Amino acid sequence: MRSEDMLTGGQILVECLKNEGVDVIFGYPGGAVLPIYDALYDSDILHVLTRHEQAAAHAADGYARATGRPGVCMATSGPGATNLVTGIATAAMDSVPMVAITGQVPTTLIGKDAFQEADITGITMPITKHNYLVRDVNDLPRIVKEAFYIATTGRPGPVLIDIPRDVSAGKTEYRDPGPIGLRGYMPRLAGEPAKVAAAAKLIAQARRPLIYAGGGVINSGAAEYLRKLAETIMAPVAVTLMGIGCFPGDHPLFLGMLGMHGARYTNYAVNECDLLLAIGVRFDDRVTGKVDSFASHAKVIHIDIDPAEFGKNVPVDISIAGDVRTVLVDLIKNLTCNPDPAWQEKIARWKKEYPLDYSREGLRPQAVIRELSDMLQGRQYRVTTEVGQNQMWAAQHFCITRPRSFISSGGLGTMGYGFPAAIGVQVACPDELVFDIAGDGSIQMNIQELTTAVNYELPVNVAILNNGYLGMVRQWQELFYNRRYSQTELTNPDFVKVAEAFGAEGLRVEKSAEIRPALEQAIASSKPVFLDFIVEREENVMPIVPPGEAISRMLG
């Protein structure tokens, strides 16, 4: 083999990434990945240098959720790799396609406690769909191809590739590995016909059907078919946090989020339905509350790409394994329906009696979100959230009308997620308005990424709902711990000055009348903007289902 035909492992990795269509990597360099970064220097792949590896993972996650394509993040060995762990776990819990690349000490030093050595494949085994330690540079093309295939097929998820420094620096000839075939890994796409027919029969018998839809609908690109199904059988549609956007928020059949912070009418509907059609969901404990009481009057049909979810949390009558879109197409062909007008009338009455509402006195966080929601309708926009009260208010009060435009950490509930995710979203969608809805606690967990946004001229806007507390924890202390506010009151920096110090813009809002002008100013700005909304300090997210209770037993 001629030396000019030889490539380093780093160069081979870059070629592999280009073949997978990768156009951006979010990462942070270090000694163990220097051969890769040297190869990237000559590449046309955009590398976004974050200020923390956790943020790189969240940015890749946001990019993936906004586009449906796998996000790619990279870090060096040891602490660089372990700093990715929270971001990888976040992606795993929400079924986000991601490929994480880490550097490793040379193969000769593995297991010898070398400088910056960490067993990242061992550490991430429970939070990845699969992971690899590459021991031979000749294996790199096959492994990269397999990693992208696994991350994006079946139930999406993160895959990690750990590359020792001697592998990324070693040389060999690059050869495309050809088609991928993995024994024992063949995700089922089409639903079993007999089960689809049985589901159609059960739907035809139902008088009070309800659809419970989740992120699996968005992942499979099935939003159009979900709408067709709901309108065909006239079933109201409740969504999970991950499912927000899979059904238009302004549709008459839309019921919003269910569960712990679901609206009363939504949870009442789940409690009284006689058929629950669960689509692309996993019956999360914050959705079901007390499992024995969840949809206790209903037959349950569960459609999901991952058969491991069937019966895991809630018993089901019919389970259909398959890609949600494929199954819905088949199911709709088989449908007849017998809608009961009284069911629609009852839900309409509940909506009128128990609306999601709030006080108009003072500056309320719900008012900020509703104003922003109203202003963005008709525009191309994406919303990310942090975690806590800000997240739940956004889920309750923001009208989301299309998939992949509401991006939030659901399963892991990762504080510090929203801002770096918004950076990834803005990279993916440079012509769209991107807002991160944050709390004053959560924004400080990755506030250093303001430098990233400024450096790459990403006009991400952050609406900080600043109440001087770790709001959701304080709310639980108020309701369930007799107002003993232990370690939840915050002393914050001046967010306006922080923004200005980073080279961004900062605006402070203290009155309701100032909300819209401030949002308009932020939207018009070409810079990242921190909007510091000084909201009512002890506003709560209502309703709330106390832990361990049935979801029909709400407070507020």
Side-chain angles (χ1 to χ4, degrees):
M1 187 183 302
R2 298 178 306 172
S3 61
E4 57 266 34
D5 294 331
M6 307 272 278
L7 298 179
T8 67
Q11 290 170 323
I12 290 172
L13 175 65
V14 169
E15 288 302 309
C16 294
L17 295 176
K18 288 163 64 176
N19 289 342
E20 295 296 332
V22 174
D23 56 3
V24 59
I25 297 171
F26 302 90
Y28 201 99
V33 284
L34 280 179
I36 300 172
Y37 273 86
D38 189 62
L40 275 175
Y41 191 76
D42 298 321
S43 165
D44 56 2
I45 295 176
L46 171 66
H47 181 278
V48 175
L49 176 63
T50 59
R51 292 301 183 270
H52 194 289
E53 293 89 348
Q54 180 189 349
H58 292 328
D61 177 307
Y63 176 93
R65 296 194 205 211
T67 64
R69 302 193 297 271
V72 179
C73 57
M74 186 156 60
T76 192
S77 63
T82 55
N83 280 345
L84 289 179
V85 168
T86 298
I88 295 171
T90 301
M93 288 291 279
D94 291 343
S95 306
V96 176
M98 174 189 288
V99 174
I101 299 165
T102 51
Q104 183 56 274
V105 300
T107 52
T108 53
L109 295 178
I110 290 176
K112 297 182 179 179
D113 294 337
F115 175 67
Q116 291 195 330
E117 181 187 4
D119 177 13
I120 194 63
T121 52
I123 291 169
T124 59
M125 186 175 293
I127 57 169
T128 51
K129 199 171 171 186
H130 193 62
N131 64 27
Y132 296 90
L133 171 60
V134 187
R135 291 185 177 272
D136 187 331
V137 65
N138 292 294
D139 293 337
L140 200 48
R142 173 185 58 80
I143 286 175
V144 173
K145 198 155 192 170
E146 287 181 4
F148 277 84
Y149 178 69
I150 294 170
T152 55
T153 53
R155 181 176 182 169
V159 177
L160 181 136
I161 307 172
D162 196 28
I163 308 176
R165 195 177 191 283
D166 56 325
V167 172
S168 57
K171 286 191 171 184
T172 190
E173 184 180 15
Y174 169 63
R175 292 180 179 173
D176 189 305
I180 293 297
L182 297 173
R183 183 182 296 179
Y185 179 75
M186 289 190 298
R188 183 187 180 98
L189 298 182
E192 194 176 329
K195 288 191 172 183
V196 173
K201 186 177 180 181
L202 210 55
I203 291 170
Q205 294 169 351
R207 301 290 287 167
R208 302 187 305 279
L210 185 139
I211 294 172
Y212 153 42
V217 176
I218 295 173
N219 283 341
S220 71
E224 173 191 348
Y225 297 96
L226 174 67
R227 179 172 179 156
K228 191 169 184 179
L229 171 68
E231 291 177 344
T232 300
I233 64 175
M234 290 304 292
V237 179
V239 297
T240 67
L241 183 69
M242 292 295 96
I244 291 176
C246 74
F247 194 79
D250 56 356
H251 194 287
L253 289 171
F254 184 64
L255 284 183
M257 188 173 65
L258 76 166
M260 179 172 281
H261 291 295
R264 278 187 176 272
Y265 51 81
T266 313
N267 288 352
Y268 287 164
V270 174
N271 193 47
E272 293 202 15
C273 69
D274 66 354
L275 175 71
L276 188 73
L277 190 49
I279 305 174
V281 299
R282 59 183 179 84
F283 293 94
D284 172 69
D285 58 297
R286 290 216 163 186
V287 162
T288 63
K290 187 179 180 182
V291 173
D292 293 346
S293 303
F294 180 73
S296 56
H297 306 295
K299 297 283 187 182
V300 178
I301 299 170
H302 191 184
I303 301 170
D304 199 85
I305 189 71
D306 185 357
E309 292 297 330
F310 297 146
K312 186 172 82 176
N313 297 321
V314 170
V316 299
D317 296 280
I318 297 175
S319 57
I320 305 176
D323 171 69
V324 166
R325 176 177 169 145
T326 305
V327 173
L328 289 189
V329 169
D330 291 341
L331 181 61
I332 290 167
K333 290 177 187 171
N334 286 275
L335 281 180
T336 57
C337 62
N338 185 25
D340 182 358
W343 178 229
Q344 298 297 324
E345 291 166 7
K346 192 167 193 177
I347 290 175
R349 189 167 64 251
W350 281 333
K351 281 187 172 182
K352 187 175 288 186
E353 290 177 4
Y354 307 110
L356 286 170
D357 207 356
Y358 58 94
S359 168
R360 266 52 178 182
E361 293 182 5
L363 179 52
R364 302 286 170 173
Q366 300 95 325
V368 174
I369 290 167
R370 288 201 178 188
E371 191 77 60
L372 178 60
S373 175
D374 289 346
M375 290 177 65
L376 294 184
Q377 299 310 311
R379 299 172 183 248
Q380 293 295 306
Y381 71 87
R382 312 274 177 156
V383 174
T384 70
T385 80
E386 303 290 343
V387 167
Q389 286 184 315
N390 63 85
Q391 180 187 36
M392 292 298 107
W393 282 318
Q396 290 179 336
H397 296 279
F398 210 109
C399 180
I400 301 293
T401 57
R402 62 182 180 132
R404 302 194 182 282
S405 51
F406 183 85
I407 292 167
S408 188
S409 169
L412 198 64
T414 307
M415 287 182 69
Y417 168 83
F419 184 40
I423 288 173
V425 172
Q426 189 75 82
V427 170
C429 311
D431 299 326
E432 299 194 26
L433 291 166
V434 178
F435 270 84
D436 173 36
I437 296 173
D440 47 315
S442 55
I443 190 60
Q444 293 183 70
M445 286 203 165
N446 271 312
I447 199 168
Q448 77 284 345
E449 298 308 322
L450 194 46
T451 293
T452 307
V454 169
N455 284 359
Y456 289 88
E457 299 182 344
L458 302 170
V460 175
N461 299 300
V462 183
I464 304 170
L465 305 177
N466 184 352
N467 57 13
Y469 280 114
L470 295 174
M472 189 59 87
V473 187
R474 183 212 59 76
Q475 176 174 333
W476 278 52
Q477 289 172 336
E478 174 190 332
L479 298 176
F480 309 123
Y481 292 87
N482 197 28
R483 290 181 179 268
R484 290 159 55 85
Y485 295 160
S486 176
Q487 304 300 317
T488 46
E489 186 166 11
L490 298 176
T491 301
N492 291 320
D494 183 325
F495 290 116
V496 173
K497 289 183 178 178
V498 168
E500 291 170 351
F502 276 94
E505 289 185 23
L507 300 168
R508 180 166 295 109
V509 179
E510 299 181 87
K511 298 177 182 175
S512 297
E514 298 169 352
I515 296 174
R516 180 171 277 264
L519 291 172
E520 287 174 343
Q521 188 174 336
I523 290 171
S525 175
S526 60
K527 291 183 175 181
V529 179
F530 270 14
L531 292 135
D532 186 17
F533 293 97
I534 310 300
V535 298
E536 293 294 319
R537 297 202 69 198
E538 298 195 2
E539 183 72 3
N540 287 334
V541 181
M542 292 295 181
I544 178 173
V545 177
E549 280 286 5
I551 62 169
S552 58
R553 296 176 62 84
M554 292 159 276
L555 303 177

